[in-house]
Amino acid sequence: MPTALFSRSDFDEDLSYVVGVIMGDGHINESLKEGAKTPCHNIGLSNTDLDFVIEFAERISHLIGPGTAMIRSYDEGNGYKQAHFYRRHSHWLYHLLNRDLSEIMMDVHLPLHFLKGLFDSEGCVTFHRKDNRLYKALTISTTTTDVKETVQQILEQGGKKNIAKPLD
């Protein structure tokens, strides 16, 4: 009897997180090299936060198995921070992620891990003081309406409804 490739108990956690990252700063692409018969499908992330890229790389490796891909670092040439890049080849994961978000979310069984991946990509923590009290907020910036609506649905399921309206 063949053994299941994906029998790990935290598969759903890793998949949900990776989907969140891809909806944020991550990317998927398809390329066909000259003379090749089948396209190459890639899943990747480029970011200045090395810890974030390392976590993404580990979660991808948990999903599709260990590989030879390494995190590459480069200077963006703008005198700012060094950027880090990680890319893996996976036809299965590419096709899973190359759908409408509503279809992808049917495979996301842990929406809080999806939010963690999205907030790791697009989020920031803000603070403001009012009446001698410190208020904290998690915010994301996105131009994608379906991502905003998905986040809103997840938060409403948890009893939170504080989603800001888009700026004009």
Side-chain angles (χ1 to χ4, degrees):
M1 176 176 207
T3 58
L5 252 179
F6 305 110
S7 62
R8 292 184 34 256
S9 61
D10 53 353
F11 173 82
D12 286 332
E13 181 180 313
D14 293 331
L15 179 63
S16 299
Y17 179 83
V18 167
V19 169
V21 172
I22 294 299
M23 293 303 130
D25 286 340
H27 59 272
I28 62 172
N29 72 328
E30 176 181 71
S31 61
L32 185 61
K33 295 188 179 185
E34 191 173 327
K37 293 181 180 180
T38 59
C40 182
H41 295 114
N42 298 306
I43 295 87
L45 174 66
S46 181
N47 201 284
T48 57
D49 183 351
L50 180 58
D51 291 334
F52 173 41
V53 177
I54 289 171
E55 181 171 3
F56 178 76
E58 289 172 353
R59 301 243 188 178
I60 290 284
S61 293
H62 290 162
L63 287 174
I64 63 175
T68 59
M70 299 179 66
I71 296 172
R72 306 206 186 280
S73 299
Y74 58 93
D75 185 7
E76 292 185 326
N78 59 8
Y80 188 55
K81 293 182 177 180
Q82 191 174 38
H84 310 283
F85 180 75
Y86 182 76
R87 178 180 65 202
R88 287 290 300 270
H89 304 285
S90 172
H91 297 291
W92 168 75
L93 196 51
Y94 171 84
H95 288 292
L96 183 82
L97 298 170
N98 192 28
R99 303 180 291 164
D100 289 333
L101 182 57
S102 59
E103 292 177 40
I104 296 170
M105 290 306 290
M106 289 191 282
D107 294 319
V108 171
H109 301 295
L110 299 172
L112 293 180
H113 288 276
F114 166 81
L115 289 179
K116 181 182 182 328
L118 183 63
F119 276 89
D120 280 355
S121 291
E122 300 290 347
C124 70
V125 179
T126 58
F127 300 93
H128 72 277
R129 191 172 294 278
K130 182 178 178 184
D131 299 329
N132 209 18
R133 184 173 172 164
L134 183 64
Y135 293 88
K136 298 170 270 201
L138 291 173
T139 58
I140 60 167
S141 297
T142 183
T143 58
T144 310
T145 305
D146 57 343
V147 171
K148 178 203 161 275
E149 290 171 353
T150 301
V151 170
Q152 188 166 356
Q153 288 174 345
I154 292 169
L155 292 177
E156 285 176 354
Q157 289 172 355
K160 308 290 184 207
K161 295 185 180 183
N162 192 4
I163 299 288
K165 301 294 182 211
L167 299 174
D168 293 325

